[in-house]
Amino acid sequence: MRIFTHANLHSPRRKLLAAVLSAAMIFPSAAYAAESGPSAPPTGPSDPREVESFLDGFFDRPDIRPSLAGAVVAVVQDDRALLTKGYGYADAISRAPVDPDATLFRLASISKTFTAAAVMQLAEQGKVDLDADVGGYLNGLSIPNDTGAPLTLKHLMTHTSGFDRTEAAADEGEPEEVYPLADFVKDNAPSVVRRPGEAFRYDNYAYNLLGYIVQNVAGQPFEKVEADRIFAPLGMKNSSFVLTPDIRKRLATPHDGAGEPLPQYATFPNDSPDGGLISTGSDMARFMIAMLNGGKLGAVSFLSERSVREMERLSVSIHPDIPGVGYGFESTYPNLANGQYVVDKGGAATGFQSHLWLLPERRTGLFVALNSVRNARTIQSELFKSFMDHYYPTTKPSGESEPSVSQTKEQLARLEGIYRDLRLQMWHYDVSAIDGGLIVTDSYGEHRLKQVKELLFEDEDGRRAAFKEDGRGNIAYFAYNKADSWSEKLPEPKRYDDVPADHPYAKYIYYVRQQGLLDKEDARAYRPERPITRAQFVGQLMGLADTPLSEEQVLFRDAANSPYAAEIQTALEFGLVSGTARGAFEPDRPITRQEAAVVLSRALLLLFGSIGAEPLLAKLKGDTDAWALEGVQTAVARGYYGPEAVKDASGAIDYRSKQPLLRQEAAAMFYRFP
């Protein structure tokens, strides 16, 4: 069995797939009933001692403390910092404490807020037009665009570029590696394939392109623009977009999902406008104060109030009743905002996660940075939830919104179908209509949504979902519980001669066809009860991952002539597959159910960094080889199977691990992954 190690975390192939997931999933976390710290009125934070007591209580919670390596937090109100404080350790081994004034954290995508601010400065000076085609600012770089609509700075800042690729092949590397911004932007140039402004898809490349434009227009390196025009005026003396030797010495040690330390690394490009920012809690407090005071910190103004308000306006949304995205800001947890207007920005990199929240109408800011990814998203969402419940408790009655419209199943039928996430192709929603609402199935399970308004729905937890029509009135997009992109409605698939509509695996088989995973196979017959080969399984999985395929020659000689040779080599580079003892792959041999389960569990580990204790909950019976046991337990725990696997009276499942996986069963696995 091949296992991921710290030494290969920065493989370009691993980083490409992991980057797509770094900020992608918003997993629901369990509510925590106990309130941290003394009670406070719903007027916001004001007393530094009370704020410190509240946060001390939060970070001492039994569901929070064990997951921490280190954290820094800042709370600001009006024109002052109420608290900047470190918790835990900058390095878990040396047990060096976090210093809010000196310990540096990678803030990853919070960088985008600073990049957007630099663009707005140029707009104020009349040097760029936010509504003009960006081609005039690219110094000859060509971005193919056959949509007939211009690509503007507004589109880049709101993640609505319409690019076919929004991630680079590698965004992290060894600290000594040099990859300039101009080279990076040119090497990874995408094409515009969707009309700009039409749909939201989180876009890292767009922000690197924005940084390149800032560099071109300002006539200075991007990192110098940030240092001279933002950091210096705001007194952010410990902030940088470049990993210098001094910065590296003071940078907190990153830790993985198991709490183990990781090596330091450089971002690509080296001054990474989309994710290279390194800063302290105290510096970020200064930035939040300036943003909450119309671009001013004391007597210094780095942006006009109009520009700040424009950045904080969540101008792109799938529905007017659902907060969307602005220039460098988003709305990640609208269901936790307790009716307040909140803009935020999160960041995730290897071993680091961070989040910044601003309540402009309350002139309140909250910031947290973590140097471990262990339960990091849960810590962030729980911090925000606790903060809002403590200082701004909701004044609305709990429960679902009262509907203003309730349509019949027949009227809602046009919403039914499979919706594929624009950023992560394997993530999808299966939507079915019922009277007055919808049943939505995704990797979290089944959700019952009640209709609130036309094209607007709400689940039992108050989380909202909405649809968007295209210019012809057809349903085109859907957004629900994944914050980094919308999903597109897939067209109905062509039917196979041997898979009737009432086939027990029809839903799964036609899903993989909709996803385009079967394009290299017979277009008329599916042959559902035949075994799937190792090459076919890996080829379809890599198609589901929607990642650029390796251009290297496949290392397995017996797979050189396979139609899936590139997919097999790509899976090898990701660490998802390994050969036999003789260095062969055996592409035409039927894959066993336990082999397939192991490959999917490896993919899950690559995507999320850890699987957790979930596999231990799986009850198995039957024979499974020891090397495959954890993979099979993971597959069973996550429901990666179809109607062929049935629980007995005790809840145990015979996964039939050593039997060949049938094509119809593989389709069920892909439908349920991740």
Side-chain angles (χ1 to χ4, degrees):
M1 297 292 291
R2 294 182 56 168
I3 305 298
F4 304 128
T5 64
H6 300 327
N8 59 28
L9 277 173
H10 302 300
S11 159
R13 292 249 158 232
R14 297 184 192 282
K15 286 310 304 168
L16 172 61
L17 193 56
V20 176
L21 266 290
S22 64
M25 300 301 178
I26 305 301
F27 289 100
S29 58
Y32 190 82
E35 190 64 69
S36 301
S39 61
T43 56
S46 58
D47 181 355
R49 289 178 297 178
E50 188 279 328
V51 172
E52 183 173 24
S53 177
F54 164 73
L55 287 168
D56 287 351
F58 174 83
F59 284 106
D60 196 45
R61 278 172 34 172
D63 62 329
I64 302 297
R65 187 179 63 253
S67 297
L68 281 182
V72 67
V73 64
V75 176
V76 304
Q77 175 70 30
D78 293 326
D79 58 356
R80 63 176 180 147
L82 297 179
L83 180 73
T84 56
K85 186 171 182 178
Y87 294 89
Y89 304 108
D91 181 90
I93 293 179
S94 68
R95 301 179 75 83
V98 172
D99 183 337
D101 299 320
T103 304
L104 296 167
F105 287 77
R106 288 191 179 276
L107 303 189
S109 284
I110 292 179
S111 309
K112 294 178 173 66
T113 308
F114 287 76
T115 300
V119 172
M120 298 304 288
Q121 286 181 337
L122 294 176
E124 289 179 3
Q125 298 163 13
K127 295 182 178 180
V128 297
D129 181 346
L130 301 185
D131 293 305
D133 192 294
V134 300
Y137 308 124
L138 297 182
N139 284 6
L141 173 67
S142 176
I143 303 290
N145 179 3
D146 295 327
T147 67
L151 173 65
T152 70
L153 292 169
K154 285 184 178 180
H155 296 141
L156 297 178
M157 287 194 288
T158 56
H159 306 273
T160 57
S161 65
F163 288 151
D164 57 349
R165 290 184 293 107
T166 58
E167 313 296 331
D171 62 0
E172 294 175 4
E174 297 302 321
E176 296 77 16
E177 291 185 72
V178 177
Y179 200 166
L181 175 58
D183 292 346
F184 180 93
V185 168
K186 294 172 184 176
D187 291 346
N188 294 282
S191 298
V192 180
V193 296
R194 193 182 308 272
R195 186 179 178 87
E198 179 179 312
F200 166 65
R201 170 182 171 173
Y202 195 84
D203 197 334
N204 282 313
Y205 180 85
Y207 268 83
N208 284 315
L209 188 62
L210 284 167
Y212 176 68
I213 290 170
V214 168
Q215 180 170 283
N216 291 342
V217 174
Q220 291 180 299
F222 170 77
E223 75 272 13
K224 185 168 178 54
V225 174
E226 291 286 341
D228 292 350
R229 306 187 187 188
I230 297 180
F231 299 153
L234 297 182
M236 298 175 66
K237 299 179 180 179
N238 294 297
S239 298
S240 175
F241 269 86
V242 180
L243 184 67
T244 65
D246 177 64
I247 293 289
R248 185 176 176 181
K249 290 178 183 178
R250 298 164 51 208
L251 186 60
T253 299
H255 296 80
D256 65 15
E260 295 297 320
L262 297 171
Q264 299 288 4
Y265 52 88
T267 57
F268 290 161
N270 299 118
D271 53 357
S272 190
D274 80 308
L277 177 62
I278 299 170
S279 190
T280 65
S282 296
D283 273 12
M284 290 304 296
R286 300 179 72 83
F287 178 74
M288 289 193 292
I289 291 170
M291 291 299 294
L292 292 167
N293 287 274
K296 294 182 179 180
L297 182 66
V300 175
S301 177
F302 86 110
L303 271 181
S304 71
E305 184 172 358
R306 179 179 179 181
S307 292
V308 170
R309 297 294 170 256
E310 190 66 16
M311 288 179 66
E312 295 172 346
R313 187 171 66 90
L314 302 178
S315 55
V316 173
S317 175
I318 198 166
H319 190 280
D321 290 346
I322 294 181
V325 294
Y327 302 160
F329 284 107
E330 299 151 15
S331 179
T332 310
Y333 305 106
N335 57 310
L336 303 180
N338 292 347
Q340 301 291 330
Y341 185 77
V342 179
V343 297
D344 67 85
K345 189 72 194 81
T350 299
F352 292 94
Q353 287 207 24
S354 55
H355 217 109
L356 177 155
W357 294 270
L358 297 179
L359 286 72
E361 296 170 355
R362 300 289 189 173
R363 296 180 70 189
T364 300
L366 170 66
F367 166 78
V368 66
L370 307 164
N371 63 328
S372 170
V373 297
R374 186 178 183 183
N375 296 326
R377 291 188 181 91
T378 298
I379 293 172
Q380 291 169 182
S381 62
E382 282 295 312
L383 174 62
F384 179 60
K385 180 181 185 301
S386 297
F387 185 88
M388 296 304 295
D389 288 347
H390 185 65
Y391 292 111
Y392 301 103
T394 181
T395 56
K396 297 181 179 180
S398 60
E400 297 179 354
S401 301
E402 286 299 318
S404 60
V405 61
S406 181
Q407 296 176 310
T408 65
K409 177 180 179 180
E410 290 73 21
Q411 290 173 313
L412 295 173
R414 72 187 188 114
L415 306 180
E416 292 185 323
I418 297 291
Y419 293 79
R420 177 175 65 192
D421 185 74
L422 290 175
R423 191 174 185 221
L424 182 66
Q425 182 169 300
M426 65 184 67
W427 186 272
H428 67 278
Y429 300 93
D430 194 339
V431 177
S432 300
I434 57 176
D435 286 337
L438 304 169
I439 300 295
V440 177
T441 303
D442 61 15
S443 288
Y444 297 140
E446 186 176 279
H447 314 271
R448 194 177 188 92
L449 275 60
K450 182 178 180 180
Q451 188 172 21
V452 178
K453 294 182 180 180
E454 182 74 19
L455 302 182
L456 180 67
F457 298 81
E458 189 171 275
D459 68 13
E460 300 92 333
D461 298 323
R463 183 180 289 108
R464 290 192 162 183
F467 296 83
K468 181 183 178 182
E469 297 176 334
D470 61 17
R472 298 178 298 277
N474 300 315
I475 299 299
Y477 300 104
F478 174 62
Y480 176 34
N481 56 1
K482 187 167 176 290
D484 68 322
S485 63
W486 299 348
S487 294
E488 61 181 338
K489 188 176 184 181
L490 296 179
E492 286 297 312
K494 293 181 179 180
R495 299 289 155 176
Y496 286 112
D497 295 341
D498 55 355
V499 185
D502 60 353
H503 191 284
Y505 289 83
K507 175 171 67 174
Y508 312 125
I509 292 169
Y510 287 117
Y511 163 74
V512 296
R513 188 166 209 187
Q514 283 177 294
Q515 285 277 27
L517 308 186
L518 304 172
D519 291 350
K520 294 184 179 182
E521 301 187 16
D522 191 334
R524 297 191 60 182
Y526 180 73
R527 301 175 182 86
E529 296 184 2
R530 284 191 181 181
I532 189 170
T533 68
R534 286 163 56 85
Q536 289 170 338
F537 183 84
V538 170
Q540 292 178 28
L541 174 62
M542 297 315 297
L544 192 63
D546 189 32
T547 185
L549 297 178
S550 175
E551 297 179 359
E552 299 295 326
Q553 183 175 356
V554 64
L555 293 182
F556 302 114
R557 291 185 178 180
D558 60 345
N561 295 321
S562 170
Y564 293 107
E567 287 88 347
I568 292 169
Q569 177 63 23
T570 305
L572 175 66
E573 293 173 10
F574 275 127
L576 301 180
V577 300
S578 55
T580 67
R582 299 177 181 178
F585 184 71
E586 301 178 9
D588 299 324
R589 174 171 66 79
I591 193 169
T592 63
R593 292 173 61 84
Q594 64 181 6
E595 287 176 326
V598 167
V599 172
L600 285 190
S601 69
R602 288 174 174 175
L604 195 67
L605 181 63
L606 175 62
L607 293 174
F608 300 110
S610 65
I611 297 175
E614 191 175 51
L616 302 178
L617 304 177
K619 296 179 65 176
L620 300 180
K621 64 180 183 179
D623 189 15
T624 298
D625 286 332
W627 60 265
L629 185 59
E630 184 176 353
V632 171
Q633 286 177 318
T634 298
V636 170
R638 297 192 64 82
Y640 296 162
Y641 51 81
E644 79 280 356
V646 180
K647 294 181 180 180
D648 64 16
S650 70
I653 287 181
D654 183 359
Y655 198 68
R656 299 185 288 113
S657 296
K658 296 186 177 182
Q659 293 185 15
L661 181 71
L662 304 185
R663 290 169 57 81
Q664 62 188 15
E665 297 167 356
M669 294 185 82
F670 291 139
Y671 175 88
R672 298 188 183 280
F673 187 78

